[in-house]
Amino acid sequence: MKEWLGAAAVCLNEQDEILVVRGYDSPGWEVPSGGIEIGETPEQCCEREVKEETGYDVKVVDHLHTKKTKIQEIKVTTYYFKTEVKGGSLGINDPDKTIAEAKWVSISEFLTLKHAYPEDTPYIEKWMKKLYRS
């Protein structure tokens, strides 16, 4: 069975807004994420994908969750990390040309968005409240 490994970033700013992106081929929003390249750790992948998809330099500060699922005949593992912005500014520089839009949204707005991966929404809501409201 084919396998895909990826990483995703849960990144909140000082206003407790979460960074989300929307792809050209998706009507839904998601946290920045992508596939792990050869020689990369999940953490390095996470930091690279955020930079490419949003323009922000981030640092992984904590592992939140590992999601394992099967999509068609592909075994999918995605590592979710809490990240902090260290620099940069909002701007898409995605070499794959898949990201249409990136923005910061509040927790309440996040819950009303159409999500690319709706099964992740309860986890992300819980992490947002736990990590940044305590």
Side-chain angles (χ1 to χ4, degrees), residues 48-130:
R48 176 183 52 77
E49 288 290 344
V50 173
K51 179 68 173 175
E52 290 175 359
E53 295 184 0
T54 71
Y56 288 106
D57 296 306
V58 298
K59 176 91 174 117
V60 166
V61 294
D62 197 14
H63 175 252
L64 296 171
H65 177 69
T66 301
K67 175 180 161 184
K68 294 180 182 272
T69 189
K70 195 168 110 176
I71 299 173
Q72 293 159 348
E73 291 303 310
I74 302 170
K75 207 166 93 176
V76 175
T77 302
T78 308
Y79 301 92
Y80 285 78
F81 297 101
K82 173 186 174 186
T83 62
E84 291 180 354
V85 173
K86 297 296 182 187
S89 61
L90 193 60
I92 300 164
N93 188 24
D94 180 20
D96 301 325
K97 307 281 188 244
T98 58
I99 301 302
E101 194 175 355
K103 67 180 180 176
W104 294 98
V105 297
S106 66
I107 291 176
S108 58
E109 184 180 352
F110 177 81
L111 296 175
T112 66
L113 292 174
K114 179 173 178 61
H115 293 274
Y117 303 99
E119 69 275 12
D120 292 353
T121 306
Y123 293 111
I124 295 170
E125 178 188 10
K126 181 182 78 175
W127 297 329
M128 290 171 72
K129 289 179 177 174
K130 178 183 171 193

Side-chain angles (χ1 to χ4, degrees), residues 4-70:
W4 184 87
L5 300 173
V10 176
C11 186
L12 275 79
N13 62 20
E14 290 157 5
Q15 291 77 42
D16 286 340
E17 295 170 319
I18 189 167
L19 188 57
V20 293
V21 297
R22 185 181 56 77
Y24 285 109
D25 60 352
S26 172
W29 292 87
E30 61 188 285
V31 295
S33 63
I36 298 172
E37 295 180 352
I38 295 171
E40 246 182 354
T41 66
E43 293 84 354
Q44 290 167 330
C45 171
C46 181
E47 292 170 357
R48 176 183 52 77
E49 288 290 344
V50 173
K51 179 68 173 175
E52 290 175 359
E53 295 184 0
T54 71
Y56 288 106
D57 296 306
V58 298
K59 176 91 174 117
V60 166
V61 294
D62 197 14
H63 175 252
L64 296 171
H65 177 69
T66 301
K67 175 180 161 184
K68 294 180 182 272
T69 189
K70 195 168 110 176

